Amino acid sequence: MRRIALGLISAACSTVLVATPALADNPHFIFATNTVSNTTGALTTSFKDAGLGTGTTSVRITLTATGTALYQCFNNGGKHPRAANKETVTSDLITSGDFPVSNGQTTGSLTVGPPGAGDFSCPSGQSLFLEKVTYTNTFVMDESGNTRHATPDPISTGTIHIPV
């Protein structure tokens, strides 16, 4: 009888020891939150990724977004000429970073954008300014394929006036 009880206890302990690591490796984002800078026009997404496993020391996180920026020319008097010298640029943006894992989780932030003006430039006597940026389709993803839609989305600067 003692042998059977010892065998059952050993089997139960083995099951628990084998099952524990499997339960710990369940990657998932707790949150992914967007903010946008009114001084640079850049998007920053802060996140927390958990369930990464206690044996994991770092994880690669990727941020993707679509950015739409409005650029305009202004004369030296600060006036926007009535001419059609403005340009809207839309671009897919991506950045990645490696983040340390502690106790199976990591927190951090990644920054992208704004999209560049491309070939758009101003005529002589005028200067180029970034006037507005909007970001949509913002997602964070870890190397296991776990993905989270960051919010709010869309997010915009509203009207800004940043020299380029």
Side-chain angles (χ1 to χ4, degrees):
M1 186 67 160
R2 188 183 285 188
R3 240 186 235 177
I4 293 172
L6 186 59
L8 289 173
I9 291 171
S10 293
C13 288
S14 296
T15 302
V16 169
L17 291 174
V18 170
T20 301
L23 291 174
D25 294 341
N26 179 20
H28 59 282
F29 284 96
I30 304 296
F31 66 84
T33 306
N34 290 325
T35 57
V36 64
S37 169
N38 286 329
T39 58
T40 65
L43 169 74
T44 299
T45 303
S46 300
F47 58 85
K48 181 173 186 174
D49 197 8
L52 300 170
T54 56
T56 304
T57 58
S58 71
V59 63
R60 184 173 249 337
I61 307 289
T62 301
L63 168 62
T64 60
T66 301
T68 301
L70 173 65
Y71 289 91
Q72 292 184 330
C73 296
F74 287 81
N75 64 27
N76 291 336
K79 302 292 184 194
H80 175 60
R82 294 280 179 217
N85 56 352
K86 61 183 175 180
E87 178 80 10
T88 300
V89 179
T90 298
S91 179
D92 290 328
L93 306 167
I94 185 169
T95 190
S96 296
D98 294 319
F99 296 86
V101 173
S102 177
N103 298 320
Q105 61 187 6
T106 190
T107 57
S109 61
L110 290 165
T111 302
V112 294
D119 294 335
F120 181 64
S121 62
C122 297
S124 179
Q126 295 183 14
S127 300
L128 184 61
F129 286 82
L130 175 62
E131 292 296 300
K132 182 178 182 177
V133 185
T134 301
Y135 296 95
T136 59
N137 302 316
T138 55
F139 290 90
V140 288
M141 181 174 65
D142 64 23
E143 57 198 19
S144 71
N146 173 42
T147 303
R148 175 88 178 219
H149 187 193
T151 58
D153 185 351
I155 187 169
S156 179
T157 58
T159 301
I160 54 177
H161 191 70
I162 301 171
V164 178

